[in-house]
Amino acid sequence: MSEKKTAIVTGASGGIGAGLVDGFLKQGYNVAATSLHFGPSLSASSSLILVEGDIGKQETAVKVVEGAMKRFGSIDVLVNNAGIFYVKPFTDFTTEDFNALVSTNLFGFIYITQLSVKQMLRQKSGNVVTITAALADNPIGGVNASVSMITKGGLNTVTWSLAIEYAKEGIRFNAVAPGVVESPLHKDDPKDDLKKLQPMGKIGEISDIVDAVLYLAQAGQVTGEVLHVDGGAHSGRW
């Protein structure tokens, strides 16, 4: 069994997820990373296990948590990063869209968080950080993500609820709500248009999100917080 702390990262194969894996490894954590598929850019090591599977399926959550416990012996941080995001007019959203959003964004949160919290209760410590979206509480004209935001807004709400439910158990729950981030999600979008979506006129970097998550993972007095990393977009009109 290792004395190092262990982090689980979902949606870990690229973009913010891969940045999170790298960030936690550099901070000296063991990491259990999960994604539907992993490319050659990530390879397992003594401090890193890779688990492939659909995070919306309970069996994937079981594999990840059991793998982390068997190899590393604790679960100190869970980062719920896996997520999908559709932009389209409200009247164009389909049942298939909604089911996909619920599967990845909500069941992908519920299953692995339940199992991780059960272990954290045994340890009497641990924390969960969930990646949500600045759009959930600050819609922007022309960015039509209404049904996607049902799920992201729900994740903010459950973060607040769980922060209170488990405060006396020593388990913290926080969220990071990104604005536009330079990641594969936006690879086909015009950069000048993206820059207009936040008042500072800059596109966020993956490292900005990683820094926010690492802060929350170690901030012992912070729970029930939704930390916006969005260039001020949540503050008002610009």
Side-chain angles (χ1 to χ4, degrees):
M1 296 289 179
S2 171
E3 292 302 311
K4 290 164 68 174
K5 287 189 172 180
T6 300
I8 292 175
V9 178
T10 72
S13 62
I16 292 170
L20 287 164
V21 171
D22 186 54
F24 276 104
L25 288 172
K26 284 179 175 168
Q27 291 275 325
Y29 284 74
N30 296 312
V31 178
T34 183
S35 184
L36 203 53
H37 302 292
F38 285 101
S41 58
L42 272 182
S43 52
S45 69
S46 60
S47 299
L48 174 64
I49 62 169
L50 306 177
V51 181
E52 291 190 336
D54 179 352
I55 198 63
K57 301 273 193 269
Q58 191 154 23
E59 56 263 32
T60 302
V62 171
K63 277 198 298 185
V64 177
V65 170
E66 287 184 349
M69 290 304 300
K70 187 173 180 183
R71 173 70 78 86
F72 303 129
S74 71
I75 298 170
D76 302 286
V77 185
L78 165 63
V79 186
N80 288 302
N81 170 69
I84 58 174
F85 176 73
Y86 300 145
V87 177
K88 58 173 71 175
F90 173 66
T91 51
D92 291 350
F93 276 95
T94 65
T95 302
E96 290 73 27
D97 293 336
F98 184 73
N99 288 341
L101 287 160
V102 167
S103 178
T104 300
N105 296 359
L106 298 184
F107 284 125
F109 168 89
I110 290 168
Y111 294 139
I112 198 157
T113 304
Q114 285 178 323
L115 292 171
S116 297
V117 167
K118 285 178 181 177
Q119 176 56 32
M120 291 173 183
L121 285 168
R122 294 184 196 105
Q123 297 166 189
K124 296 185 169 45
S125 69
N127 73 92
V128 177
V129 183
T130 300
I131 307 299
T132 63
L135 279 173
D137 50 12
N138 185 74
I140 296 174
V143 184
N144 299 321
S146 56
V147 176
S148 300
M149 290 307 110
I150 291 174
T151 62
K152 293 295 191 176
L155 292 173
N156 285 341
T157 301
V158 78
T159 295
W160 296 318
S161 294
L162 292 173
I164 296 301
E165 183 172 344
Y166 289 100
K168 288 184 169 52
E169 311 294 342
I171 305 172
R172 298 183 297 109
F173 292 83
N174 294 292
V176 172
V180 177
V181 177
E182 183 77 67
S183 73
L185 188 69
H186 293 294
K187 67 181 185 298
D188 298 324
D189 297 331
K191 293 285 185 285
D192 285 343
D193 290 347
L194 293 175
K195 287 177 181 176
K196 295 173 186 169
L197 297 179
Q198 48 194 50
M200 292 178 74
K202 291 165 62 177
I203 299 173
E205 302 288 338
I206 286 169
S207 60
D208 295 322
I209 308 305
V210 173
D211 289 346
V213 171
L214 291 172
Y215 161 70
L216 290 171
Q218 298 170 51
Q221 276 293 300
V222 180
T223 193
E225 184 66 30
V226 177
L227 178 54
H228 290 78
V229 184
D230 64 354
H234 69 287
S235 296
R237 194 173 174 209
W238 62 95

